[in-house]
Amino acid sequence: MIYAYIENLNGKYKNSSIEIVSYAKNIADAQGDSVIAITFNAEDSPEILYKYGADNVYNIKNEALKNFDPKVYASLISQLIEGNYIIFSHSDESTSIAPFLVKEKEAVYITNVVSQPLSFSPFKVKRNIFSGKGIAVVETSNPFLIITVALNSTGVKENPVSGREINPLITIPDDSPYKVESIEESDSKIDLKEAKIVVSGGRGMKGPENWGIIEDLAQVLNAAEACTKPVSDMGWRPHSEHVGQTGKNIAPKLYIAIGISGAIQHLAGVNGSKTILVINNDPEAPFFKSADYGVVGDLFEVVPKLTEKLKSFINNKKI
Ligand SMILES: Cc1cc2nc3c(=O)[nH]c(=O)nc-3n(C[C@H](O)[C@H](O)[C@H](O)COP(=O)(O)OP(=O)(O)OC[C@H]3O[C@@H](n4cnc5c(N)ncnc54)[C@H](O)[C@@H]3O)c2cc1C
């Protein structure tokens, strides 16, 4: 059996979870096996998961599971699995749960995977290393594998099956050492990790009073907002927007970097983006080396003009 852990946000499946089902389905087809999707307190229809190849969906609904607790979640998943592949997203949530399962099942743990399996015996796959600067091919003959797949790295493929929802019998453990003391809600309307477009600002923005420039562009593009570490360290923006080696790892279709120099620690969190546009007044800024498109200019002139042009382009298209 191939298991796919399905993350949801307020009951709605995350886009990354659809990628995980597609990944699991690909392995299932190659192995002549089937896919079981496991999720907690989802409100979305399981039909969405059937469409991408989940033969069975375990949706464990319980008020006691409302607050995320990696140890409890791992314990419940452990009660449900009998197969030898468990596929997770390479996300904060999944990488908090997976290590508990690895320990319990004495599994091999392959993280940050960026390819479909290259072979099955031995199992061989590509994974990101050195903060995305390199790719390693790893192999194992261990029969029990727990895999985390990098965001937007292997794609989504429709593969409809006539699935069914199952309510399995489980025992919720009550001895977790985790206690939720407070919950910080992000004020962003669009989840940064799920966003197709991200508009990001750095120290070149000069101060938080200028952030309206980023917000206006993000609004026109229906994009999420992000920032560099110094920007969040200085309190210009919340830490939930900080991307990079010590912040969130994102892989949108388009990343627009405004007034950001492109330090290696910043690139580590964004170099999975499909297309990168850099706006910077220093032609020597290192970020231009990683950019698909670059504008050398003063962001305070360039960005408002870009926003206006996009606004009129979108309005004209609507007419
Ligand atoms: C262990 C460690 C971990 C780190 N983790 C992270 C991380 O996760 N994420 C992260 O972002 N950083 C991280 N950093 C910090 C990183 O090294 C850089 O210092 C940081 O990314 C720089 O932020 P910045 O680009 O906003 O600022 P700067 O490097 O100061 O760049 C500002 C840019 O704005 C441009 N600019 C200025 N004025 C204008 C204008 N008017 N118009 C257009 N452009 C303009 C400048 O030319 C410059 O390129 C880490 C550092 C360490 C040591």
Side-chain angles (χ1 to χ4, degrees), residues 296-316:
V296 178
D298 183 349
L299 71 90
F300 296 98
E301 285 176 27
V302 174
V303 181
K305 279 188 189 154
L306 176 63
T307 306
E308 278 315 308
K309 284 275 176 208
L310 282 166
K311 248 189 217 162
S312 59
F313 175 74
I314 290 165
N315 286 341
N316 286 340

Side-chain angles (χ1 to χ4, degrees), residues 152-166:
N152 294 338
S153 62
T154 55
V156 160
K157 193 171 159 225
E158 283 188 24
N159 223 322
V161 293
S162 52
R164 66 192 175 120
E165 196 172 5
I166 294 170

Side-chain angles (χ1 to χ4, degrees), residues 201-206 227-231 233-234 236 242-248 255 258-269 279-287 295-302:
R203 221 155 23 186
M205 291 298 298
K206 312 284 191 244
C227 68
T228 61
K229 182 174 185 294
V231 162
D233 286 347
M234 289 184 290
W236 295 1
H242 153 204
V243 292
Q245 185 185 317
T246 47
K248 286 192 174 137
Y255 182 70
I258 300 171
I260 299 176
S261 56
I264 188 163
Q265 296 88 355
H266 183 79
L267 294 177
I279 301 171
N280 197 304
N281 63 1
D282 175 6
E284 301 299 322
F287 218 149
V295 179
V296 178
D298 183 349
L299 71 90
F300 296 98
E301 285 176 27
V302 174

Side-chain angles (χ1 to χ4, degrees), residues 29-254:
D29 283 349
Q31 301 281 79
D33 213 328
S34 51
V35 175
I36 294 183
I38 301 176
T39 189
F40 296 106
N41 287 328
E43 298 294 338
D44 264 348
S45 162
E47 297 287 338
I48 300 171
L49 303 177
Y50 305 154
K51 189 168 148 194
Y52 293 90
D55 299 281
N56 296 302
V57 174
Y58 293 174
N59 181 11
I60 296 119
K61 288 196 166 190
N62 196 307
E63 272 296 298
L65 301 172
K66 232 176 107 220
N67 286 329
F68 175 65
D69 183 320
K71 200 164 183 211
V72 168
Y73 278 32
S75 153
L76 298 176
I77 295 169
S78 171
Q79 292 174 41
L80 297 171
I81 55 180
E82 282 165 13
N84 47 359
Y85 290 92
I86 313 178
I87 318 296
F88 286 93
S89 282
H90 191 70
S91 65
D92 294 341
E93 176 173 331
S94 285
T95 55
S96 306
I97 301 170
F100 290 111
L101 280 169
V102 171
K103 180 168 173 272
E104 201 164 320
K105 299 288 178 188
E106 296 184 359
V108 160
Y109 190 30
I110 309 178
T111 58
N112 224 346
V113 163
V114 291
S115 77
Q116 297 289 351
L118 306 173
S119 70
F120 284 95
S121 62
F123 184 87
K124 244 190 224 184
V125 79
K126 290 183 187 170
R127 66 179 293 267
N128 254 336
I129 53 168
F130 303 134
S131 299
K133 283 265 164 208
I135 302 264
V137 175
V138 291
E139 71 171 68
T140 176
S141 297
N142 189 306
F144 206 120
L145 297 181
I146 296 181
I147 295 168
T148 69
V149 179
L151 201 62
N152 294 338
S153 62
T154 55
V156 160
K157 193 171 159 225
E158 283 188 24
N159 223 322
V161 293
S162 52
R164 66 192 175 120
E165 196 172 5
I166 294 170
N167 284 320
L169 271 182
I170 42 148
T171 314
I172 298 179
D174 54 10
D175 63 342
S176 173
Y178 290 84
K179 293 276 168 285
V180 177
E181 292 194 341
S182 66
I183 294 177
E184 190 185 318
E185 296 271 355
S186 161
D187 55 3
S188 164
K189 286 147 235 87
I190 301 165
D191 182 11
L192 184 50
K193 301 242 336 170
E194 295 279 293
K196 293 198 169 70
I197 305 177
V198 174
V199 179
S200 186
R203 221 155 23 186
M205 291 298 298
K206 312 284 191 244
E209 66 281 5
N210 296 322
W211 225 261
I213 294 177
I214 300 281
E215 284 163 358
D216 288 349
L217 180 57
Q219 199 186 7
V220 171
L221 292 170
N222 197 24
E225 292 164 35
C227 68
T228 61
K229 182 174 185 294
V231 162
S232 65
D233 286 347
M234 289 184 290
W236 295 1
R237 299 300 300 165
H239 273 290
S240 55
E241 290 183 11
H242 153 204
V243 292
Q245 185 185 317
T246 47
K248 286 192 174 137
N249 204 308
I250 57 171
K253 288 205 166 119
L254 174 62

